[in-house]
Structure formats: structure tokens, C-alpha cells
Amino acid sequence: MPEPVSPKPAAVLFDMDGTLVDTEHLWWQAAVECAAELDLALTDADLPEVLGQAVEHTAAHLHRASRTTLSELELAVRLNDSFTGKVAAEVVPRPGALALLAALRDAAVPTALVSASPRRVVDLVLGTLGSSWFAVTLAAEDTPRTKPQPDPYLAAAARLGLDPADCVAVEDTPTGVASAHAAGCAVLAVPSAVPIAAAERITLLDSLEQADLALLAGLTGLR
């Protein structure tokens, strides 16, 4: 008798910062240092305005909070330059990330990288993590709107030729979860620094080490 075919998801769409690589703390450091230059001290209350957010969002937050004469564009450039330098010096995969990517590759499950970071940061990370894991990579510049809007995940599914409802998105922040959920994806959430609330079609884990093909395949059936 033929061996039973193991279930597997149609595709898995991964966030990058804080999900696959431990870079969220670097983004927070960049924001803290930029804020300090504006005589502004960031606290835990500022986390939702920084972690998981596009650079434009964080720059706008710093601009409002500090009332600086610098423009939001100037702040965004400072944030980007600082974050890029930190990423270039330190890229560490999250626990379980490489093992899960390897399992998906071995099972011929297509994957996409769906990031709100600029392309130059994405390419820096891919230079360490490896670009061959992904059939598609999307950065902030690749869609008209970035997270929390659904555009990045809709674009990733479209490039793979799949219905977003058949894809599992893996995220670590409420902003990313909102983007994937709005696109219609099933969501596996592994919170990094900001808590994520349980909701329909959102499954919470403590670590990617707890994820496997069977779990991911089952998520798209929770409709």
C-alpha cells in the first residue's frame, strides 16, 4: 500500500523582523537612539508605535511626540540609516526559524518573505539568512501600502498564484497580524515584544520551534 500523504499548507508567508530574525530589538534601539537625539525618552507605551511598524509610521510618531523642527522624512532617513547599520552588524535567526524553513523546502511548500522593512534591509538579512528559501520576497517599497494594510500579503499570494485563504502567514506583532488577517490568510502568531490577542483564524505559539507541517496545514482549515 502507498504511504499516506502528509498534510501540508499551500504556502507559508513569513514576516521577517522579529519572526524569522531577531531584529525587532535593533529597530527599537534605533528608535530609542533617534528619540534621545530629540530629547525624547521612549517607554513601553511607545512600543506599539515602533515594533512592527513601517519607518514612516515611527518617524511620524517621533515627530509628533518631540515636536522637532526636523521633518518626518529626515527622521525616517535617520531611522533607516541607524537600523541598516545595526542589521549589517547583527542578524540572528529566531529559534526554530531555519528548521521550519528547511521542513517546508523539503516538503516542496512554497514560501514568501513579506516585510515592512525597506528593500535594502531585507536584502541585508537575506544575505545572511539566505534568499533561496523564498520563492517571493516583498519589501516596503513593493506595494502601494504596507502593513497593517493587507496589500503585502495580497501581493505575495498573487505572485504565488494562490488564494490568500489557502496561505498561512507567520507574524510576531499586532500590526503584521492585522495585515495578514485583513488579506484573508490564516495566521500563526509568535509574539516577540508586543502581546497579540487571540481571534478567529489566529493561532498563538510561544516559539516557531512548536510549529510543524501538520500544524500549518491545519490552520487553513479553520474557516
Side-chain angles (χ1 to χ4, degrees), residues 147-172:
K147 304 172 187 180
Q149 302 302 324
D151 303 38
Y153 282 103
L154 291 174
R159 292 192 187 186
L160 292 172
L162 295 170
D163 185 333
D166 294 327
C167 300
V168 178
V170 186
E171 276 283 355
D172 74 305

Side-chain angles (χ1 to χ4, degrees), residues 55-144:
V55 62
E56 293 82 5
H57 182 102
T58 301
H61 174 66
L62 295 182
H63 188 269
R64 289 191 304 269
S66 67
R67 299 183 181 181
T68 178
T69 57
L70 295 173
S71 69
E72 291 182 18
L73 178 58
E74 289 173 308
L75 292 177
V77 170
R78 288 190 180 192
L79 285 166
N80 261 338
D81 287 347
S82 176
F83 182 52
T84 300
K86 293 179 188 301
V87 170
E90 180 185 346
V91 175
V92 179
R94 296 285 292 166
L98 294 178
L100 183 56
L101 286 170
L104 291 166
R105 180 186 59 195
D106 293 346
V109 175
T111 61
L113 186 71
V114 185
S115 179
S117 285
R119 171 55 63 178
R120 65 173 177 163
V121 174
V122 170
D123 288 344
L124 271 175
V125 171
L126 289 176
T128 299
L129 191 66
S131 60
S132 62
W133 297 113
F134 308 104
V136 170
T137 67
L138 286 164
E141 302 93 329
D142 294 327
T143 53

